[in-house]
Amino acid sequence: MVNFAYFAAILLLTMFFMNPVCLVITLAGAAAYAAALFGMRSLLKRTAVLLPLMLVTAAISVAFNHRGVTVLAWLPNGNPLTLESAVYGAAAAVLLAAVISWFACCNVVLTSDKFVYLFGRIIPSMSLLLSMTLRCVPRFRTQAAVVANAQRCIGRGPDQGNLLQRMGNGLKIFSILVTWALENAVNTADSMKSRGYGLPGRTAFSIYRFDRRSAAVLALVLAEGVYVAAGGIAGALKWSFYPALAGAPLNGYSLSVYAVFFLLCVLPVGIDLWEDRKWTHLKSEV
């Protein structure tokens, strides 16, 4: 429940407030948490994938959006290149990168068994579908590597032969993966049905326990999320891109909203650092 509440709050606040300061804060928080979960090397690889996507998003905004009053230059087709469209494109790119990064962290922390535990009794069919969907991509990638290695041993790998042969080999591997995914989905559904999943009165084993620490963190997440949402509704995070760049003035209240949002974004990293320090201290006393 704590994991779900945190990621729901952070994703909703990230997507609803197109404020440049908030976008930078949430992207920094997502990058820090991704570094803590995956390591710096994996973070650099993910950044290398996200940067071209961000550039394409910003370029599309500049190419097709010509609103704004501050003209920077004129494109060859006669349309203006405005500062407002460029800033909006950069903000949209940062928003996309932040949401993708937070979802990547959510996929690691909020595992399929947690989804089934949370929603198995309320919406059993939907929770099973979400669980299967969340674990589909990592399992699909793992199985793709297995099938590609097996095909490579018989000379039909995706990197063997000429261009047409490589394309054919790739299509064959994709066909094998789709068949495997469909068969695995049917087997999973039959297995859960045979176990009585979704039937009324069915009990379920759980290793999760809602203790005082869970209550404290959940209360903190809700308090910070409500404070930031209230600040956004009150106009402390107001920002407009068109016709000219304009935002709410900086004052004590708006700065406090930014500070609380920053604390919300770095909360999991802070908890991890505190637990690592506590664990190191306990080991030093042994």
Side-chain angles (χ1 to χ4, degrees), residues 195-239:
R195 297 175 185 180
Y197 178 77
L199 294 179
R202 177 182 178 271
T203 60
F205 170 75
S206 172
I207 60 174
Y208 306 111
R209 184 168 58 91
F210 193 83
D211 53 12
R212 293 182 178 179
R213 185 182 63 171
S214 303
V217 177
L218 181 60
L220 180 61
V221 169
L222 293 179
E224 292 178 341
V226 170
Y227 188 84
V228 175
I233 295 174
L237 304 178
K238 184 178 180 180
W239 183 272

Side-chain angles (χ1 to χ4, degrees), residues 10-20 22-24 26-27 30 50 54 57 88-103:
I10 202 72
L11 286 170
L12 288 175
L13 293 175
T14 298
M15 290 185 289
F16 275 101
F17 296 118
M18 281 285 289
N19 184 296
C22 292
L23 292 177
V24 172
T26 188
L27 181 59
L50 284 177
M54 294 173 65
T57 303
Y88 181 83
V94 173
L95 173 62
L96 180 63
V99 170
I100 291 176
S101 300
W102 280 119
F103 267 113

Side-chain angles (χ1 to χ4, degrees), residues 2-286:
V2 178
N3 297 152
F4 179 79
Y6 177 79
F7 284 109
I10 202 72
L11 286 170
L12 288 175
L13 293 175
T14 298
M15 290 185 289
F16 275 101
F17 296 118
M18 281 285 289
N19 184 296
V21 178
C22 292
L23 292 177
V24 172
I25 291 175
T26 188
L27 181 59
Y33 196 28
L37 290 176
F38 307 111
M40 285 301 301
R41 180 174 298 180
S42 178
L43 177 63
L44 293 177
K45 292 181 180 179
R46 294 172 184 272
T47 303
V49 175
L50 284 177
L51 279 179
L53 182 61
M54 294 173 65
L55 292 176
V56 170
T57 303
I60 290 176
S61 175
V62 172
F64 295 97
N65 186 2
H66 308 292
R67 298 170 59 189
V69 297
T70 309
V71 178
L72 300 178
W74 293 91
L75 300 177
N77 57 5
N79 290 319
L81 172 62
T82 63
L83 175 64
E84 290 77 15
S85 64
V87 175
Y88 181 83
V94 173
L95 173 62
L96 180 63
V99 170
I100 291 176
S101 300
W102 280 119
F103 267 113
C105 297
C106 178
N107 192 37
V108 174
V109 176
L110 206 58
T111 54
S112 59
D113 58 320
K114 294 181 181 179
F115 260 105
V116 174
Y117 170 74
L118 284 174
F119 303 106
R121 296 184 180 181
I122 305 174
I123 43 174
S125 299
M126 183 62 67
S127 64
L128 180 60
L129 180 61
L130 287 174
S131 172
M132 295 172 62
T133 303
L134 287 175
R135 67 177 184 173
C136 176
V137 174
R139 293 189 64 188
F140 200 87
R141 292 178 58 184
T142 303
Q143 187 67 16
V146 174
V147 174
N149 289 332
Q151 292 292 310
R152 190 176 290 108
C153 292
I154 58 176
R156 297 179 181 177
D159 53 353
Q160 294 175 327
N162 55 37
L163 179 60
L164 292 178
Q165 290 174 339
R166 291 199 299 268
M167 293 176 60
N169 296 338
L171 289 176
K172 183 175 295 185
I173 293 174
F174 181 75
S175 175
I176 295 172
L177 289 173
V178 170
T179 305
W180 168 83
L182 294 175
E183 182 180 359
N184 185 71
V186 172
N187 291 336
T188 301
D190 291 340
S191 175
M192 298 300 289
K193 184 178 180 180
S194 65
R195 297 175 185 180
Y197 178 77
L199 294 179
R202 177 182 178 271
T203 60
F205 170 75
S206 172
I207 60 174
Y208 306 111
R209 184 168 58 91
F210 193 83
D211 53 12
R212 293 182 178 179
R213 185 182 63 171
S214 303
V217 177
L218 181 60
L220 180 61
V221 169
L222 293 179
E224 292 178 341
V226 170
Y227 188 84
V228 175
I233 295 174
L237 304 178
K238 184 178 180 180
W239 183 272
S240 61
F241 295 91
Y242 306 108
L245 300 176
L250 284 178
N251 50 40
Y253 180 58
S254 61
L255 289 176
S256 68
V257 176
Y258 290 136
V260 172
F261 186 60
F262 173 79
L263 292 177
L264 180 64
C265 291
V266 300
L267 178 62
V269 179
I271 292 177
D272 287 347
L273 293 176
W274 179 77
E275 289 183 346
D276 291 342
R277 183 177 179 182
K278 184 178 180 180
W279 177 247
T280 304
H281 178 70
L282 291 175
K283 288 196 300 182
S284 64
E285 293 182 349
V286 175

